[in-house]
Amino acid sequence: MKKFLHVGCGSARKDRTTAWFSGDDWEEVRFDIDPDAKPDVVGSMTDMSNFADGEFDGLYSSHNIEHLNPHEVLGTLRNFHRVLSDTGHLVITCPDLQSVCAHVAEGRLLEPLYQSSMGPISALDILFGHRASLAAGKVHMAHRCGFTLQSLAQELRIAGFGATCGNRNPQAFALMCVATKGQVTEEEMREIIAKHFGGKKGPAS
């Protein structure tokens, strides 16, 4: 059985990741900084010393890296790279600053952009962190950096990933990238993407 690390899992389980990671052929290891999330391992993605080199075949990180300080991003992505097997890959999502800032430029900083399980989300929440969570004392929910598709792909390449493929989803104000530890062919990348997303909107070249 393959094993994937669910970074910053929160309350989510594998059925809220991707179609492939949700399958019976993947074992999930849940990893989060918040003990209240009851992860398998409590810790920060800036220090992944609990995990061995090449321990995982996959890694899933949804809306986590924006919580890092800018100078912590590259080291964290290198942590992701280190714990992946030679044939492993990463699926990563985060806010799309390009689409968020388009709304800010039109003066819509506080207007709700969409409804989430935590309530209405504004551009201010996306840029700096969910205000209600921060007010409740969950300081780890603050957003300290951000990405465009180009800058995220660049950081992944600098961190050592062999191939990346991603897209923007402006309706969800989100970016999604798949990155492989080693070099793969276009056909192999398409196969990885198809297994994760099928006919749904996933990364595009």
Side-chain angles (χ1 to χ4, degrees):
M1 179 179 288
K2 296 179 181 291
K3 183 165 68 169
F4 81 96
L5 184 64
H6 189 171
V7 175
C9 57
S11 61
R13 302 280 174 170
K14 62 185 290 185
D15 61 342
R16 290 174 57 189
T17 57
T18 72
W20 196 16
F21 283 151
S22 297
D24 293 338
D25 51 340
W26 285 94
E27 175 189 352
E28 176 192 34
V29 177
R30 298 173 67 250
F31 179 52
D32 201 281
I33 197 171
D34 185 0
D36 291 342
K38 298 181 180 179
D40 300 308
V41 181
V42 176
S44 169
M45 57 187 161
T46 61
D47 177 8
M48 296 174 65
S49 55
N50 286 329
F51 305 115
D53 294 359
E55 183 173 348
F56 298 97
D57 303 291
L59 191 151
Y60 181 78
S61 171
S62 179
H63 288 269
N64 297 301
I65 58 170
E66 65 271 18
H67 299 286
L68 298 169
N69 290 305
H71 68 276
E72 296 173 315
V73 171
L74 185 55
T76 297
L77 294 179
R78 284 175 172 156
N79 285 338
F80 291 176
H81 185 273
R82 178 186 65 79
V83 302
L84 284 170
S85 67
D86 290 342
T87 57
H89 67 278
L90 159 72
V91 177
I92 188 167
T93 72
C94 65
D96 173 22
L97 287 194
Q98 191 172 345
S99 59
V100 175
C101 288
H103 286 264
V104 176
E106 295 172 358
R108 291 183 282 177
L109 181 65
L110 298 176
E111 173 186 319
L113 300 181
Y114 66 93
Q115 292 287 330
S116 78
S117 59
M118 298 185 293
I121 301 296
S122 71
L124 188 65
D125 295 309
I126 298 174
L127 290 172
F128 298 107
H130 186 238
R131 286 169 289 167
S133 296
L134 293 170
K138 293 185 177 293
V139 296
H140 58 275
M141 293 294 287
H143 291 183
R144 299 180 175 89
C145 67
F147 303 87
T148 63
L149 182 59
Q150 292 76 13
S151 71
L152 178 57
Q154 180 179 9
E155 292 281 4
L156 288 165
R157 288 192 293 269
I158 294 171
F161 285 90
T164 64
C165 188
N167 76 356
R168 299 176 59 221
N169 184 349
Q171 290 74 33
F173 306 96
L175 305 175
M176 180 175 290
C177 276
V178 171
T180 59
K181 183 164 183 175
Q183 293 290 342
V184 296
T185 65
E186 289 185 13
E187 182 178 352
E188 288 170 330
M189 179 64 87
R190 285 196 296 269
E191 182 178 351
I192 292 170
I193 292 168
K195 286 181 177 180
H196 279 297
F197 305 107
K200 297 180 180 179
K201 187 173 183 181
S205 298

